[in-house]
Amino acid sequence: MNASMRNNKKRSERKRKHEPVSIAEGFNSFRNGLAVAAAATVGRYGIHALQAFKARPPQVRRFYEGGFQATMNRREAALVLGVRDRTPTDKIKEAHRRVMIANHPDAGGSHYLASKINEAKEVMLGKIKGGGSAF
């Protein structure tokens, strides 16, 4: 009979006789309970972190960040509006409206940017061939 079998036999005999548990066995039970509680706390924190990560708002799509050329071409106009070069007219107007709402001078935006956004819309719609900015 090995040592672990003897210990198990002693424990089962003690339980039947309702004898008190030794300090070492009580400490082992306490340590195991503490480990389970710590694992549950870490798991709970992980679940909350995952839910917070999933609930964060999507990153805002970034618009054109570069400087402007002397005369605006179709590629630059598409970058300013955030559309592709061959975008339909209705999508160009929708993109122009969205960008102007974000940058309108009456809402604290820049007059310069508003003129460039308007110029980009005109270039994309074919009203001008490029280079009509007041600035």
Side-chain angles (χ1 to χ4, degrees):
M1 222 161 124
N2 64 18
S4 69
M5 291 176 69
R6 276 181 281 183
N7 288 339
N8 287 338
K9 188 174 181 184
K10 286 180 187 177
R11 282 189 198 129
S12 63
E13 289 173 6
R14 255 197 317 267
K15 287 181 182 176
R16 277 185 255 148
K17 295 180 183 177
H18 302 289
E19 290 181 16
V21 178
S22 71
I23 293 175
E25 289 176 352
F27 180 75
N28 286 340
S29 297
F30 175 76
R31 185 181 63 205
N32 292 341
L34 191 62
V36 169
T41 302
V42 168
R44 183 175 181 218
Y45 176 79
I47 290 170
H48 284 297
L50 181 64
Q51 288 173 345
F53 178 77
K54 286 182 178 179
R56 69 188 165 101
Q59 290 184 341
V60 177
R61 198 170 111 210
R62 303 183 84 187
F63 294 102
Y64 181 59
E65 292 182 358
F68 296 104
Q69 298 174 358
T71 59
M72 186 174 289
N73 58 21
R74 194 163 174 82
R75 180 187 164 277
E76 185 179 24
L79 288 172
V80 169
L81 294 176
V83 296
R84 294 180 186 255
D85 193 28
R86 302 286 177 211
T87 304
T89 303
D90 58 329
K91 297 289 183 181
I92 291 171
K93 290 180 181 179
E94 181 182 319
H96 173 263
R97 177 174 162 71
R98 185 181 64 245
V99 176
M100 275 303 286
I101 287 172
N103 295 292
H104 198 276
D106 292 345
S110 165
H111 289 280
Y112 178 73
L113 286 178
S115 70
K116 286 295 188 178
I117 293 167
N118 286 331
E119 181 183 1
K121 175 186 156 196
E122 292 172 359
V123 168
M124 290 298 289
L125 294 178
K127 293 182 180 176
I128 58 172
K129 294 295 180 193
S133 176
F135 294 98

